[in-house]
Amino acid sequence: MMVVRPSLSGVLTEQVLGLISDSGLQPGDRLPTTRELAQRFSVTTPTLREALRRLEATGAIEMRHGSGLYVGADIERIVLPNPNMRSMPGGQLLDLLDARILIEPPLAGLAAGRPGAEELRAVLGEAARHLSGQDAELHEANMTFHRVSARLAGNSVLEEVVDSLLSVHAPEQREILRIYDDRRRDYDEHLTILEAIEAGDARAAEELMRAHLIDVKTVVQQRLM
Amino acid sequence: MMVVRPSLSGVLTEQVLGLISDSGLQPGDRLPTTRELAQRFSVTTPTLREALRRLEATGAIEMRHGSGLYVGADIERIVLPNPNMRSMPGGQLLDLLDARILIEPPLAGLAAGRPGAEELRAVLGEAARHLSGQDAELHEANMTFHRVSARLAGNSVLEEVVDSLLSVHAPEQREILRIYDDRRRDYDEHLTILEAIEAGDARAAEELMRAHLIDVKTVVQQRLM
């Protein structure tokens, strides 16, 4: 775990977070300028910028070049993907897939019969349009399918966990897609999961999601051997 | 999700991460000084410090006052607790507990029969010493019990997820302990879980952990009403 240090930068970070919550600012809302904030907290601009970079790194604010400071979309998240991940050792990737195998199937079950399946169908339509071509777009649609399935279950914390796991292994996922060319199978498996969710069949949705993720793990294991 | 911006600070962050991995530096190892790094990457010290604060905020490095820069313990984590959490709305807290109810019981089941149960017994001994007193120490021992149970299951990613969830709701947990004074019940439930793990009884360990966490959620729900 991270150790909390009472550095000036840490104190300033708390002050900016306090300003955001005391002013009732929401993600996307604009913050005062760097200069105004430095004056308000009686620090130099470089010192303030150190605190702002801490907040930027953890998604609490966005620093848009030439435009200013905004409250970040991730400020109220519980968990964050590590933005510093470079490459993942094989063992860690298999642990990550086992984590997905534990978490995602029950979420697919919870999603069954809840509102929002039409969004999932739209995502799959997007995947269909890229089946015979663009890796990047197909990959994006496939990842979105898993994110939206998790979101439909209605638990914001588990949605963040799934989002974090998907974000961190996106590079490996793209590579799998390129090597194995299993576009059609992925698509077909996603379609059967969608149909179970649309039909409100929780047990089938859960089992199909589990089987699908075990398939993904098998592909990764073969690649690692 | 966080948006990646090609700022100078972002480029520098990548360069420092590259230096760490190219040099084979491990958590706890010392980095060059701020001045040396600024020279190496041809930037001013304030600009370098912005990049270092980004890495510090996400646990990739530690900046120890008067001592220097070290590789951080969290550099290879997949998921991180959001360090900016202030207070948690009730609905989010219940989602968090549902997340724990999904994840922790199967991990207790996996822990059963694997090596390391003696560490868990030592943690419980620590809790026993604080049963009639110190809130902070008892709380710490109780949280450690859940962290170690998750670790014994042997999946590093799920261990990080559980650690992140526990870190973020530590303040609420401490409050529950104070209000409900359910020290003894918590301890007794932890003890039955430990005994199931020691006995290698996966099914009992899983069911007892689930019942325990559902109890915790019930207490929180009563408090929220």
Side-chain angles (χ1 to χ4, degrees):
Chain A
M1 266 310 308
M2 280 170 276
V3 176
V4 179
R5 292 174 186 291
S7 64
L8 175 55
S9 169
V11 172
L12 267 173
T13 300
E14 285 299 312
Q15 287 178 318
V16 175
L17 289 170
L19 171 68
I20 290 170
S21 78
D22 295 347
S23 320
L25 294 177
Q26 299 298 314
D29 286 350
R30 194 171 193 140
L31 285 166
T33 65
T34 304
R35 187 167 306 190
E36 285 162 352
L37 288 173
Q39 278 183 342
R40 177 193 292 250
F41 299 127
S42 307
V43 293
T44 63
T45 303
T47 299
L48 179 76
R49 288 182 67 86
E50 287 185 34
L52 295 179
R53 290 299 185 190
R54 290 166 65 107
L55 291 168
E56 182 189 42
T58 48
I61 68 166
E62 279 183 38
M63 302 172 73
R64 298 187 199 152
H65 189 67
S67 161
L69 306 173
Y70 297 83
V71 179
D74 291 344
I75 189 164
E76 286 168 350
R77 278 179 78 124
I78 300 268
V79 292
L80 301 167
N82 184 354
N84 308 317
M85 286 298 292
R86 292 166 69 87
S87 67
M88 205 182 300
Q92 201 175 25
L93 180 54
L94 292 177
D95 278 358
L96 189 152
L97 288 168
D98 280 329
R100 293 185 59 192
I101 290 169
L102 176 67
I103 296 168
E104 290 192 51
L107 296 185
L110 286 169
R114 282 176 56 102
E118 65 282 358
E119 185 183 352
L120 211 49
R121 187 161 277 280
V123 171
L124 215 53
E126 181 66 19
R129 273 189 290 286
H130 298 294
L131 261 183
S132 55
Q134 304 85 333
D135 269 7
E137 285 84 352
L138 178 57
H139 167 77
E140 199 50 45
N142 284 342
M143 292 293 99
T144 304
F145 182 86
H146 284 276
R147 284 196 169 85
V148 174
S149 305
R151 173 150 47 81
L152 294 186
N155 181 311
S156 65
V157 173
L158 287 166
E159 178 193 344
E160 291 175 16
V161 170
V162 170
D163 172 71
S164 300
L165 299 181
L166 291 171
S167 301
V168 170
H169 81 137
E172 278 85 358
Q173 281 285 1
R174 268 194 297 272
E175 199 177 335
I176 293 166
L177 199 68
R178 209 185 61 235
I179 296 176
Y180 282 85
D181 201 32
D182 55 352
R183 301 172 145 73
R184 169 57 66 180
R185 193 185 60 182
D186 239 34
Y187 177 80
D188 290 343
E189 291 183 359
H190 284 174
L191 184 59
T192 60
I193 294 166
L194 168 66
E195 287 169 349
I197 289 175
E198 284 178 336
D201 187 342
R203 182 190 289 259
E206 174 164 349
E207 283 311 317
L208 289 165
M209 180 65 92
R210 185 171 293 116
H212 167 56
L213 290 171
I214 289 172
D215 271 1
V216 171
K217 187 183 168 191
T218 304
V219 167
V220 171
Q221 272 177 319
Q222 285 165 348
R223 174 186 152 225
L224 289 174
M225 280 191 308
Chain B
M1 265 311 306
M2 280 169 274
V3 177
V4 178
R5 292 171 185 295
S7 63
L8 176 54
S9 168
V11 172
L12 266 173
T13 299
E14 285 300 312
Q15 286 178 317
V16 175
L17 289 169
L19 171 68
I20 290 171
S21 79
D22 294 349
S23 320
L25 295 177
Q26 298 299 313
D29 286 351
R30 193 170 195 141
L31 286 164
T33 64
T34 303
R35 186 167 308 192
E36 285 163 353
L37 289 173
Q39 279 183 343
R40 178 194 290 251
F41 299 126
S42 307
V43 293
T44 64
T45 304
T47 299
L48 179 76
R49 287 182 68 86
E50 287 185 35
L52 295 179
R53 290 297 185 190
R54 290 165 64 107
L55 291 168
E56 181 190 42
T58 47
I61 68 165
E62 279 183 38
M63 302 171 73
R64 298 186 198 152
H65 189 67
S67 160
L69 306 173
Y70 298 82
V71 179
D74 292 343
I75 190 165
E76 285 168 353
R77 278 180 79 123
I78 301 269
V79 292
L80 301 168
N82 183 353
N84 307 316
M85 285 298 292
R86 292 167 70 85
S87 67
M88 205 183 297
Q92 200 176 25
L93 180 54
L94 293 177
D95 279 358
L96 188 152
L97 288 168
D98 280 329
R100 292 185 60 193
I101 290 169
L102 176 67
I103 296 168
E104 290 191 53
L107 296 185
L110 286 169
R114 283 176 55 103
E118 64 284 357
E119 184 182 354
L120 211 49
R121 187 161 276 282
V123 172
L124 215 53
E126 181 66 17
R129 272 188 291 286
H130 298 294
L131 261 184
S132 55
Q134 305 84 332
D135 269 7
E137 285 84 352
L138 178 56
H139 167 75
E140 199 50 46
N142 284 343
M143 294 294 99
T144 304
F145 181 85
H146 284 276
R147 283 196 169 85
V148 173
S149 304
R151 171 150 48 79
L152 295 186
N155 181 310
S156 66
V157 174
L158 287 166
E159 178 193 343
E160 290 175 16
V161 171
V162 170
D163 172 70
S164 300
L165 298 181
L166 291 172
S167 301
V168 170
H169 82 137
E172 277 85 359
Q173 281 286 0
R174 268 194 298 272
E175 199 177 335
I176 293 166
L177 199 69
R178 211 186 59 235
I179 296 176
Y180 282 86
D181 200 33
D182 55 354
R183 302 171 145 71
R184 168 58 64 178
R185 193 185 60 184
D186 239 35
Y187 177 80
D188 289 343
E189 290 183 1
H190 285 173
L191 184 59
T192 60
I193 294 165
L194 168 66
E195 286 168 351
I197 289 175
E198 283 178 337
D201 187 341
R203 181 190 291 258
E206 175 165 349
E207 284 310 315
L208 288 166
M209 180 65 93
R210 185 171 292 116
H212 167 56
L213 289 171
I214 289 172
D215 271 1
V216 171
K217 187 184 169 193
T218 304
V219 168
V220 170
Q221 273 176 318
Q222 285 166 348
R223 175 186 151 225
L224 290 174
M225 281 192 305

